[in-house]
Amino acid sequence: MLESADFLNNQAIELTSRGNFTEAIACYKRAITIERENHLLWFNLGITYQKQGDLRAAKRALTTSYEINPEDAETIEQLAIVCLDRKEFLEAVQHCENGLDLNPVNAHLWNTLGVVFFNQEEYASAAEAFERSVSINPYYYDALYNLRDTYDELGNKAGKEICQERLQKLKEPKEDL
């Protein structure tokens, strides 16, 4: 049986789910020798490096994925997250902005942008980004949680209380009708 990139990708995904990162990375690298321009293989390789804790290699792989397919929202967001984790804030903001230029209603990218601003202690900008995220998806728990914490930093007690109430409602079990 001939090895295929799809088979190796699936095998690597399974290995990653079991925490066998070194073996998974080997599978992805082998798959990439078969399909060098497959952005999904590079993306998955980057995610695996990230899970392994190798942010430098994760960034390299995700950058290659982005260069192959610069319109993939997941790649853009993950690249921004890796840059954030590496404390490369300006680059993280740039990736978020690139993704939002492609899709201005991507609640996840607005949330990620807010996290970048929050980490830079730019709370007003963070609040604006989280507000955009929540306005796009009012049920996005992470963005609402982040907005609550940002309002707390800004001393906005009323905003914080509203967020807290909405978070509580999201956590409550839904009654059967």
Side-chain angles (χ1 to χ4, degrees), residues 84-175:
L84 171 64
D85 290 344
R86 290 172 50 95
K87 309 266 189 269
E88 297 168 344
F89 298 125
L90 292 176
E91 197 171 340
V93 167
Q94 186 62 55
H95 289 301
C96 289
E97 289 175 348
N98 290 344
L100 290 167
D101 284 345
L102 295 170
N103 180 7
V105 293
N106 184 322
H108 287 271
L109 278 173
W110 280 112
N111 183 61
T112 301
L113 182 60
V115 172
V116 175
F117 287 140
F118 189 93
N119 276 273
Q120 295 179 93
E121 299 180 3
E122 294 178 23
Y123 300 119
S125 296
E128 184 179 326
F130 294 136
E131 288 165 352
R132 294 285 293 267
S133 180
V134 170
S135 72
I136 294 164
N137 180 357
Y139 304 101
Y140 188 6
Y141 189 90
D142 291 351
L144 198 52
Y145 184 95
N146 291 335
L147 181 57
R148 180 201 62 192
D149 289 354
T150 304
Y151 282 158
D152 188 40
E153 290 291 334
L154 290 169
N156 181 344
K157 292 178 182 173
K160 178 183 174 186
E161 185 59 35
I162 291 168
C163 290
Q164 187 59 43
E165 289 171 9
R166 289 177 63 192
L167 286 166
Q168 193 59 41
K169 284 183 180 178
L170 288 176
K171 285 167 91 176
E172 293 174 2
K174 304 291 182 228
E175 293 182 26

Side-chain angles (χ1 to χ4, degrees), residues 5-72:
D6 284 343
F7 173 78
L8 290 165
N9 183 55
N10 291 336
Q11 188 176 11
I13 290 169
E14 178 62 30
L15 289 164
T16 300
S17 73
R18 288 188 266 148
N20 298 330
F21 303 125
T22 303
E23 294 89 346
I25 289 166
C27 282
Y28 287 127
K29 286 181 174 181
R30 177 70 185 123
I32 287 168
T33 65
I34 298 168
E35 290 185 23
R36 186 137 189 86
E37 296 298 311
N38 184 330
H39 84 279
L40 185 59
L41 293 173
W42 286 102
F43 174 81
N44 289 342
L45 176 62
I47 294 292
T48 304
Y49 275 127
Q50 185 180 15
K51 287 180 179 182
Q52 185 184 46
D54 187 345
L55 296 178
R56 186 169 174 233
K59 184 180 176 186
R60 278 196 313 267
L62 289 167
T63 299
T64 301
S65 177
Y66 177 74
E67 289 168 353
I68 294 168
N69 184 359
E71 296 184 7
D72 183 69

